[in-house]
Every structure is written in structure tokens, then in C-alpha cells.
Amino acid sequence: VLFNFFEDCLTDHFSELGYEKLARDYARRNLAPVQVISIMTHVYKDKKFLQQETEIQERWVNRLEEGDAEIEE
């Protein structure tokens, strides 16, 4: 249920950015690596990894906001 909530929130966000047709795909493709990053950060106790990967995710979302990025099919 919690993943559904996050997926719905992200889907709404990507829809608002103008990616209505791809919003659910973008949400899932964003949610998956974020969960892996969280697990790896915990397992390896590596905050630097968390920062680095968070910045990568933020850059991707920023590029989407600018209309400059898409996910490969």
C-alpha cells in the first residue's frame, strides 16, 4: 500500500509536468532506483552514496521539468 501511495504521488507530479501518457512509467522508473539506493545506503552505511545518487535523481527530474529528458522505452 505504501508503494502505491508513492507511485500515485509521483504519477501526479509527472502528469503535472506534462507527461500524462508516461507519468506512471516515469513514477515507477523513479521509485525503483530510489528504493535500491535506500537499501544500499543502509546496508553499506554510506551517506556519500546516498548524496551522490540523490543528486543524479534530482538532475533527471530537473531535466524532465525543463522538457529535456525522457526515459528510453
Side-chain angles (χ1 to χ4, degrees):
V1 175
L2 188 59
F3 279 105
N4 292 342
F5 172 75
F6 288 137
E7 182 181 351
D8 290 344
C9 288
L10 287 168
T11 298
D12 291 346
H13 179 70
F14 290 123
S15 289
E16 290 172 6
L17 291 175
Y19 297 96
E20 292 85 9
K21 292 181 181 178
L22 296 171
R24 179 81 47 198
D25 289 340
Y26 281 10
R28 289 180 178 172
R29 291 186 184 189
N30 184 261
L31 187 58
V34 168
Q35 294 307 309
V36 172
I37 292 164
S38 175
I39 291 167
M40 290 182 64
T41 299
H42 177 73
V43 168
Y44 294 111
K45 297 174 179 40
D46 187 349
K47 291 181 182 178
K48 184 177 178 183
F49 176 75
L50 175 62
Q51 285 180 301
Q52 173 185 326
E53 296 301 315
T54 299
E55 289 171 5
I56 291 169
Q57 291 296 317
E58 286 177 353
R59 282 196 302 269
W60 177 73
V61 171
N62 289 339
R63 287 180 58 209
L64 280 175
E65 289 175 347
E66 297 167 1
D68 188 32
E70 291 196 23
I71 296 176
E72 295 179 16
E73 298 292 325

Coordinates of all heavy atoms in Angstrom, one line a residue:
V1 N 0.8 -1.2 0.0 CA 0.0 0.0 0.0 C 0.9 1.3 0.0 O 0.6 2.2 -0.7 CB -1.0 0.0 1.2 CG1 -1.7 1.3 1.3 CG2 -1.9 -1.2 1.1
L2 N 2.0 1.2 0.7 CA 2.8 2.4 0.8 C 3.4 2.7 -0.6 O 3.5 3.9 -1.0 CB 3.9 2.2 1.9 CG 4.8 3.4 2.2 CD1 4.0 4.6 2.6 CD2 5.8 3.0 3.2
F3 N 3.9 1.6 -1.3 CA 4.4 1.9 -2.6 C 3.4 2.5 -3.5 O 3.7 3.3 -4.4 CB 5.0 0.6 -3.2 CG 6.3 0.2 -2.7 CD1 6.5 -0.8 -1.8 CD2 7.5 0.9 -3.1 CE1 7.8 -1.1 -1.3 CE2 8.7 0.6 -2.7 CZ 8.9 -0.4 -1.7
N4 N 2.1 2.0 -3.4 CA 1.1 2.6 -4.2 C 0.9 4.1 -4.0 O 0.7 4.8 -4.9 CB -0.3 1.9 -4.0 CG -0.3 0.4 -4.4 OD1 0.6 0.0 -5.2 ND2 -1.2 -0.4 -3.9
F5 N 1.0 4.5 -2.7 CA 0.9 5.9 -2.4 C 2.0 6.7 -3.0 O 1.8 7.7 -3.7 CB 0.9 6.1 -0.8 CG 1.0 7.5 -0.4 CD1 -0.1 8.3 -0.5 CD2 2.2 8.0 0.0 CE1 0.0 9.6 -0.1 CE2 2.3 9.3 0.4 CZ 1.2 10.2 0.3
F6 N 3.3 6.2 -2.9 CA 4.4 6.9 -3.5 C 4.2 6.9 -5.0 O 4.5 7.9 -5.7 CB 5.7 6.2 -3.1 CG 6.1 6.4 -1.7 CD1 6.6 5.4 -1.0 CD2 6.0 7.7 -1.1 CE1 7.0 5.6 0.3 CE2 6.4 7.9 0.2 CZ 6.9 6.8 0.9
E7 N 3.8 5.8 -5.6 CA 3.7 5.7 -7.1 C 2.6 6.7 -7.5 O 2.8 7.4 -8.5 CB 3.3 4.3 -7.5 CG 3.1 4.2 -9.0 CD 2.7 2.7 -9.4 OE1 2.7 1.8 -8.5 OE2 2.4 2.6 -10.5
D8 N 1.5 6.8 -6.8 CA 0.4 7.7 -7.1 C 0.9 9.2 -7.0 O 0.6 10.0 -7.9 CB -0.8 7.5 -6.3 CG -1.5 6.2 -6.6 OD1 -1.3 5.6 -7.6 OD2 -2.3 5.8 -5.7
C9 N 1.6 9.5 -6.0 CA 2.2 10.9 -5.8 C 3.1 11.2 -6.9 O 3.0 12.3 -7.5 CB 2.9 11.0 -4.5 SG 1.8 11.0 -3.1
L10 N 4.0 10.3 -7.3 CA 4.9 10.6 -8.4 C 4.2 10.7 -9.7 O 4.6 11.5 -10.5 CB 6.0 9.5 -8.4 CG 7.1 9.6 -7.3 CD1 7.9 8.3 -7.3 CD2 8.0 10.8 -7.5
T11 N 3.2 9.8 -9.9 CA 2.5 9.9 -11.2 C 1.8 11.2 -11.3 O 1.8 11.8 -12.4 CB 1.4 8.7 -11.2 OG1 2.1 7.5 -11.1 CG2 0.6 8.8 -12.4
D12 N 1.2 11.7 -10.2 CA 0.6 13.0 -10.3 C 1.6 14.1 -10.6 O 1.3 15.0 -11.4 CB -0.1 13.4 -8.9 CG -1.3 12.5 -8.6 OD1 -1.8 11.9 -9.6 OD2 -1.8 12.5 -7.5
H13 N 2.8 14.0 -10.0 CA 3.8 15.0 -10.2 C 4.2 15.0 -11.7 O 4.3 16.1 -12.3 CB 5.0 14.7 -9.3 CG 6.2 15.7 -9.5 ND1 6.1 17.0 -9.1 CD2 7.4 15.5 -10.1 CE1 7.2 17.6 -9.4 NE2 8.0 16.7 -10.0
F14 N 4.5 13.8 -12.3 CA 4.9 13.8 -13.7 C 3.8 14.2 -14.6 O 4.0 14.8 -15.6 CB 5.4 12.4 -14.0 CG 6.7 12.1 -13.4 CD1 6.9 11.0 -12.5 CD2 7.8 12.9 -13.5 CE1 8.1 10.7 -11.9 CE2 9.1 12.6 -12.9 CZ 9.2 11.5 -12.1
S15 N 2.5 13.9 -14.2 CA 1.4 14.4 -15.0 C 1.4 15.9 -15.0 O 1.1 16.6 -16.1 CB 0.1 13.9 -14.5 OG 0.0 12.5 -14.7
E16 N 1.6 16.5 -13.9 CA 1.6 18.0 -13.8 C 2.7 18.6 -14.6 O 2.6 19.8 -15.0 CB 1.7 18.4 -12.3 CG 0.5 18.1 -11.5 CD 0.7 18.4 -10.0 OE1 1.7 18.9 -9.6 OE2 -0.2 18.0 -9.2
L17 N 3.8 17.8 -14.8 CA 4.9 18.3 -15.6 C 4.6 18.2 -17.1 O 5.4 18.6 -17.9 CB 6.2 17.6 -15.3 CG 6.8 17.8 -13.9 CD1 8.0 16.9 -13.7 CD2 7.2 19.3 -13.7
G18 N 3.5 17.6 -17.4 CA 3.1 17.5 -18.8 C 3.4 16.1 -19.4 O 3.3 16.0 -20.7
Y19 N 3.7 15.1 -18.6 CA 4.0 13.8 -19.1 C 2.8 12.8 -18.8 O 3.1 11.7 -18.3 CB 5.3 13.3 -18.5 CG 6.5 14.1 -18.9 CD1 6.9 15.1 -18.0 CD2 7.2 13.9 -20.1 CE1 8.0 15.9 -18.4 CE2 8.3 14.6 -20.4 CZ 8.7 15.6 -19.5 OH 9.8 16.4 -19.9
E20 N 1.6 13.2 -19.1 CA 0.4 12.4 -18.8 C 0.5 11.0 -19.2 O 0.2 10.1 -18.5 CB -0.9 13.1 -19.3 CG -1.2 14.4 -18.6 CD -0.5 15.6 -19.3 OE1 0.1 15.4 -20.4 OE2 -0.6 16.7 -18.8
K21 N 0.9 10.8 -20.5 CA 0.9 9.5 -21.1 C 2.0 8.6 -20.5 O 1.9 7.4 -20.4 CB 1.1 9.5 -22.6 CG -0.1 10.1 -23.3 CD 0.1 10.1 -24.8 CE -1.1 10.7 -25.5 NZ -1.0 10.8 -26.9
L22 N 3.1 9.2 -20.0 CA 4.3 8.5 -19.5 C 4.4 8.6 -18.0 O 5.3 8.0 -17.4 CB 5.6 9.0 -20.1 CG 5.7 8.8 -21.6 CD1 6.9 9.6 -22.1 CD2 5.8 7.4 -22.0
A23 N 3.5 9.3 -17.3 CA 3.6 9.6 -15.9 C 3.7 8.3 -15.0 O 4.6 8.3 -14.1 CB 2.4 10.4 -15.4
R24 N 2.9 7.3 -15.3 CA 3.0 6.1 -14.4 C 4.3 5.4 -14.7 O 5.0 4.9 -13.7 CB 1.8 5.2 -14.8 CG 1.8 3.9 -14.0 CD 1.2 3.9 -12.6 NE 0.0 4.6 -12.5 CZ -0.4 5.0 -11.3 NH1 0.2 4.7 -10.2 NH2 -1.6 5.7 -11.2
D25 N 4.8 5.3 -15.9 CA 6.1 4.7 -16.2 C 7.2 5.5 -15.5 O 8.1 4.9 -14.9 CB 6.4 4.6 -17.7 CG 5.5 3.6 -18.4 OD1 5.0 2.7 -17.8 OD2 5.3 3.8 -19.6
Y26 N 7.2 6.8 -15.6 CA 8.2 7.6 -15.0 C 8.2 7.4 -13.5 O 9.2 7.4 -12.9 CB 8.0 9.1 -15.4 CG 8.5 9.5 -16.8 CD1 8.9 8.5 -17.7 CD2 8.5 10.8 -17.1 CE1 9.3 8.9 -19.0 CE2 9.0 11.2 -18.4 CZ 9.4 10.2 -19.3 OH 9.8 10.6 -20.5
A27 N 7.0 7.4 -12.9 CA 6.9 7.2 -11.5 C 7.6 5.9 -11.1 O 8.4 5.8 -10.1 CB 5.4 7.2 -11.0
R28 N 7.3 4.8 -11.8 CA 7.8 3.5 -11.4 C 9.3 3.5 -11.6 O 10.1 2.9 -10.8 CB 7.1 2.4 -12.2 CG 5.7 2.2 -11.7 CD 5.1 1.1 -12.5 NE 3.7 0.9 -12.0 CZ 2.8 0.1 -12.6 NH1 3.1 -0.5 -13.7 NH2 1.6 0.0 -12.1
R29 N 9.8 4.1 -12.7 CA 11.2 4.1 -13.0 C 12.0 5.0 -12.1 O 13.2 4.8 -11.9 CB 11.4 4.4 -14.5 CG 10.9 3.4 -15.4 CD 11.3 3.6 -16.8 NE 10.7 2.6 -17.7 CZ 11.0 2.5 -19.0 NH1 11.9 3.4 -19.5 NH2 10.5 1.6 -19.7
N30 N 11.3 5.9 -11.5 CA 11.9 6.8 -10.4 C 11.9 6.1 -9.1 O 12.9 6.1 -8.3 CB 11.3 8.1 -10.4 CG 11.9 9.1 -9.4 OD1 11.5 9.2 -8.3 ND2 13.0 9.7 -9.9
L31 N 10.8 5.4 -8.8 CA 10.6 4.8 -7.5 C 11.6 3.6 -7.3 O 12.2 3.4 -6.2 CB 9.2 4.3 -7.4 CG 8.7 3.8 -6.0 CD1 9.0 4.8 -4.9 CD2 7.3 3.4 -6.1
A32 N 11.8 2.8 -8.3 CA 12.6 1.6 -8.2 C 14.1 2.0 -7.8 O 14.6 1.4 -6.8 CB 12.6 0.8 -9.5
P33 N 14.8 2.8 -8.5 CA 16.1 3.1 -8.1 C 16.2 3.8 -6.7 O 17.2 3.6 -6.0 CB 16.7 4.0 -9.2 CG 15.6 4.5 -10.0 CD 14.4 3.5 -9.8
V34 N 15.2 4.6 -6.4 CA 15.2 5.3 -5.1 C 15.2 4.2 -4.0 O 15.9 4.3 -3.0 CB 14.1 6.3 -5.0 CG1 13.9 6.7 -3.6 CG2 14.3 7.4 -5.9
Q35 N 14.4 3.2 -4.2 CA 14.3 2.1 -3.2 C 15.7 1.4 -3.1 O 16.1 1.0 -2.0 CB 13.2 1.1 -3.5 CG 11.8 1.8 -3.4 CD 11.6 2.5 -2.0 OE1 11.8 1.9 -1.0 NE2 11.2 3.7 -2.1
V36 N 16.3 1.1 -4.2 CA 17.6 0.4 -4.2 C 18.6 1.3 -3.5 O 19.4 0.8 -2.7 CB 18.0 0.0 -5.6 CG1 19.4 -0.5 -5.6 CG2 17.0 -1.0 -6.2
I37 N 18.6 2.6 -3.8 CA 19.5 3.5 -3.2 C 19.4 3.5 -1.7 O 20.3 3.4 -0.9 CB 19.4 4.9 -3.7 CG1 19.8 5.0 -5.2 CG2 20.1 5.9 -2.9 CD1 19.3 6.2 -6.0
S38 N 18.1 3.5 -1.2 CA 17.9 3.4 0.2 C 18.4 2.2 0.9 O 19.1 2.2 1.9 CB 16.3 3.5 0.4 OG 16.0 3.4 1.8
I39 N 18.2 1.0 0.2 CA 18.6 -0.2 0.8 C 20.2 -0.3 0.8 O 20.8 -0.6 1.8 CB 18.1 -1.4 -0.1 CG1 16.6 -1.5 0.2 CG2 18.8 -2.7 0.3 CD1 15.9 -2.4 -0.8
M40 N 20.8 0.1 -0.3 CA 22.3 0.1 -0.3 C 22.9 1.0 0.7 O 23.9 0.7 1.3 CB 22.7 0.4 -1.8 CG 22.4 -0.8 -2.7 SD 23.0 -0.5 -4.4 CE 24.8 -0.5 -4.1
T41 N 22.3 2.2 0.8 CA 22.8 3.2 1.8 C 22.8 2.6 3.2 O 23.7 2.7 4.0 CB 22.0 4.5 1.8 OG1 22.1 5.0 0.5 CG2 22.5 5.4 2.8
H42 N 21.7 1.9 3.5 CA 21.5 1.3 4.8 C 22.5 0.1 5.0 O 23.2 0.0 6.0 CB 20.1 0.8 5.0 CG 19.9 0.1 6.3 ND1 19.8 0.7 7.5 CD2 19.7 -1.3 6.6 CE1 19.7 -0.2 8.5 NE2 19.6 -1.4 7.9
V43 N 22.6 -0.8 4.0 CA 23.5 -1.9 4.1 C 24.9 -1.5 4.3 O 25.7 -2.1 5.1 CB 23.3 -2.9 2.9 CG1 24.3 -3.9 2.8 CG2 21.9 -3.5 2.9
Y44 N 25.4 -0.6 3.4 CA 26.8 -0.2 3.4 C 27.1 1.0 4.3 O 28.2 1.4 4.4 CB 27.2 0.1 2.0 CG 27.2 -1.2 1.1 CD1 26.3 -1.3 0.1 CD2 28.1 -2.2 1.4 CE1 26.3 -2.4 -0.7 CE2 28.1 -3.3 0.6 CZ 27.2 -3.5 -0.4 OH 27.2 -4.6 -1.2
K45 N 26.0 1.6 4.9 CA 26.2 2.7 5.8 C 27.0 3.8 5.1 O 28.0 4.3 5.7 CB 26.8 2.3 7.1 CG 25.9 1.3 7.9 CD 26.6 0.8 9.2 CE 25.8 -0.1 10.0 NZ 24.9 -1.1 9.3
D46 N 26.6 4.1 3.9 CA 27.4 5.0 3.1 C 26.5 6.3 2.7 O 25.8 6.3 1.7 CB 27.8 4.3 1.8 CG 28.8 5.1 0.9 OD1 29.0 6.3 1.2 OD2 29.4 4.5 0.0
K47 N 26.6 7.3 3.5 CA 25.8 8.5 3.3 C 26.3 9.2 2.0 O 25.5 9.9 1.3 CB 25.9 9.4 4.5 CG 25.2 8.9 5.7 CD 25.3 9.8 6.8 CE 24.6 9.2 8.0 NZ 24.7 10.1 9.2
K48 N 27.6 9.1 1.6 CA 28.1 9.7 0.4 C 27.4 9.1 -0.8 O 27.0 9.9 -1.7 CB 29.6 9.6 0.3 CG 30.2 10.3 -0.9 CD 31.7 10.2 -0.9 CE 32.2 10.9 -2.1 NZ 33.7 10.7 -2.2
F49 N 27.2 7.8 -0.8 CA 26.5 7.2 -1.9 C 25.1 7.7 -2.0 O 24.6 8.0 -3.1 CB 26.4 5.7 -1.7 CG 25.6 4.9 -2.7 CD1 26.1 4.7 -3.9 CD2 24.4 4.4 -2.4 CE1 25.4 4.0 -4.9 CE2 23.6 3.7 -3.3 CZ 24.1 3.5 -4.6
L50 N 24.4 7.9 -0.9 CA 23.0 8.4 -0.9 C 23.0 9.8 -1.5 O 22.2 10.1 -2.3 CB 22.5 8.5 0.6 CG 21.1 9.1 0.8 CD1 20.0 8.4 0.0 CD2 20.8 9.2 2.2
Q51 N 23.9 10.7 -1.1 CA 24.0 12.0 -1.6 C 24.2 12.0 -3.1 O 23.6 12.7 -3.9 CB 25.1 12.8 -0.9 CG 24.8 13.3 0.5 CD 26.0 14.1 1.0 OE1 27.1 13.6 1.1 NE2 25.7 15.3 1.4
Q52 N 25.2 11.2 -3.5 CA 25.6 11.1 -5.0 C 24.4 10.7 -5.8 O 24.0 11.3 -6.8 CB 26.7 10.1 -5.1 CG 27.1 9.8 -6.5 CD 28.2 8.7 -6.5 OE1 29.0 8.7 -5.7 NE2 28.1 7.9 -7.5
E53 N 23.7 9.6 -5.4 CA 22.6 9.1 -6.1 C 21.4 10.0 -6.1 O 20.6 10.1 -7.1 CB 22.3 7.7 -5.7 CG 23.4 6.7 -5.9 CD 23.7 6.6 -7.4 OE1 22.8 6.5 -8.2 OE2 25.0 6.6 -7.7
T54 N 21.2 10.6 -5.0 CA 20.1 11.6 -4.9 C 20.3 12.7 -5.8 O 19.3 13.2 -6.5 CB 20.0 12.1 -3.4 OG1 19.7 11.0 -2.5 CG2 18.8 13.1 -3.3
E55 N 21.5 13.2 -6.0 CA 21.8 14.3 -6.9 C 21.5 13.8 -8.4 O 21.0 14.6 -9.2 CB 23.2 14.7 -6.8 CG 23.5 15.5 -5.5 CD 25.0 15.8 -5.2 OE1 25.8 15.4 -6.1 OE2 25.3 16.3 -4.1
I56 N 21.8 12.6 -8.7 CA 21.5 12.1 -10.0 C 20.0 12.1 -10.3 O 19.6 12.5 -11.3 CB 22.2 10.7 -10.2 CG1 23.7 10.8 -10.2 CG2 21.6 10.0 -11.4 CD1 24.4 9.4 -10.1
Q57 N 19.3 11.6 -9.3 CA 17.8 11.6 -9.4 C 17.3 13.0 -9.6 O 16.4 13.2 -10.4 CB 17.2 10.8 -8.3 CG 17.4 9.4 -8.2 CD 16.8 8.6 -9.4 OE1 15.7 8.9 -9.8 NE2 17.6 7.7 -9.9
E58 N 17.8 13.9 -8.8 CA 17.3 15.3 -8.8 C 17.6 15.9 -10.2 O 16.8 16.6 -10.8 CB 18.0 16.1 -7.7 CG 17.4 15.8 -6.4 CD 18.1 16.6 -5.3 OE1 19.1 17.3 -5.5 OE2 17.6 16.5 -4.1
R59 N 18.8 15.6 -10.8 CA 19.1 16.2 -12.1 C 18.2 15.7 -13.1 O 17.7 16.4 -14.0 CB 20.6 15.9 -12.4 CG 21.6 16.7 -11.8 CD 23.0 16.7 -12.4 NE 23.5 15.3 -12.4 CZ 24.3 14.8 -11.5 NH1 24.6 15.5 -10.4 NH2 24.8 13.6 -11.6
W60 N 17.8 14.4 -13.0 CA 16.9 13.8 -14.0 C 15.6 14.4 -13.9 O 15.0 14.8 -15.0 CB 16.8 12.3 -13.8 CG 15.9 11.6 -14.7 CD1 16.0 11.4 -16.0 CD2 14.6 11.1 -14.4 NE1 14.9 10.8 -16.6 CE2 14.0 10.6 -15.5 CE3 13.8 11.1 -13.2 CZ2 12.7 10.0 -15.6 CZ3 12.6 10.5 -13.2 CH2 12.0 10.0 -14.4
V61 N 15.0 14.6 -12.7 CA 13.7 15.2 -12.5 C 13.8 16.7 -13.0 O 12.9 17.2 -13.7 CB 13.2 15.2 -11.1 CG1 12.0 16.0 -10.9 CG2 13.0 13.7 -10.7
N62 N 14.9 17.4 -12.7 CA 15.0 18.8 -13.2 C 15.0 18.8 -14.7 O 14.4 19.7 -15.3 CB 16.3 19.4 -12.6 CG 16.2 19.7 -11.2 OD1 15.1 19.8 -10.6 ND2 17.3 19.8 -10.5
R63 N 15.7 17.9 -15.3 CA 15.7 17.8 -16.8 C 14.3 17.6 -17.3 O 13.9 18.1 -18.4 CB 16.7 16.8 -17.3 CG 18.1 17.3 -17.1 CD 19.1 16.2 -17.6 NE 18.9 16.0 -19.0 CZ 19.2 14.8 -19.6 NH1 19.7 13.8 -18.9 NH2 19.0 14.6 -20.9
L64 N 13.5 16.7 -16.7 CA 12.2 16.5 -17.1 C 11.4 17.8 -17.0 O 10.5 18.1 -17.8 CB 11.5 15.4 -16.2 CG 11.8 14.0 -16.6 CD1 11.2 13.0 -15.6 CD2 11.3 13.6 -18.0
E65 N 11.5 18.5 -15.9 CA 10.8 19.8 -15.7 C 11.1 20.7 -16.8 O 10.3 21.5 -17.2 CB 11.2 20.4 -14.3 CG 10.6 19.6 -13.2 CD 11.0 20.1 -11.8 OE1 12.0 20.9 -11.7 OE2 10.4 19.7 -10.8
E66 N 12.3 20.7 -17.3 CA 12.7 21.6 -18.4 C 12.3 21.0 -19.8 O 12.6 21.7 -20.8 CB 14.3 21.8 -18.4 CG 14.7 22.5 -17.1 CD 16.2 22.4 -16.9 OE1 16.9 21.8 -17.7 OE2 16.7 22.9 -15.9
G67 N 11.8 19.8 -19.8 CA 11.4 19.2 -21.0 C 12.6 18.7 -21.8 O 12.5 18.5 -23.0
D68 N 13.6 18.3 -21.1 CA 14.9 18.0 -21.8 C 15.3 16.5 -21.5 O 16.4 16.1 -21.8 CB 16.0 18.9 -21.2 CG 17.3 18.7 -22.0 OD1 17.3 18.4 -23.2 OD2 18.3 18.9 -21.4
A69 N 14.4 15.7 -21.0 CA 14.8 14.3 -20.7 C 13.6 13.4 -20.9 O 12.5 13.8 -20.6 CB 15.3 14.2 -19.3
E70 N 13.9 12.2 -21.3 CA 12.9 11.2 -21.3 C 13.6 9.9 -21.0 O 14.8 9.7 -21.1 CB 12.3 11.1 -22.7 CG 11.4 12.3 -23.0 CD 10.5 12.1 -24.2 OE1 10.2 10.9 -24.5 OE2 10.1 13.1 -24.8
I71 N 12.8 8.9 -20.6 CA 13.3 7.6 -20.3 C 13.2 6.8 -21.6 O 12.2 6.8 -22.3 CB 12.4 6.9 -19.2 CG1 12.6 7.7 -17.9 CG2 12.9 5.5 -19.0 CD1 11.7 7.2 -16.8
E72 N 14.2 6.0 -21.8 CA 14.2 5.1 -23.0 C 13.1 4.1 -22.9 O 12.9 3.6 -21.8 CB 15.6 4.4 -23.2 CG 16.7 5.4 -23.4 CD 18.1 4.7 -23.5 OE1 18.1 3.4 -23.7 OE2 19.1 5.3 -23.5
E73 N 12.5 3.8 -24.0 CA 11.4 2.8 -24.0 C 12.0 1.4 -23.8 O 13.1 1.1 -24.3 CB 10.6 2.9 -25.2 CG 9.9 4.2 -25.4 CD 8.8 4.4 -24.4 OE1 8.1 3.5 -24.0 OE2 8.7 5.6 -23.9

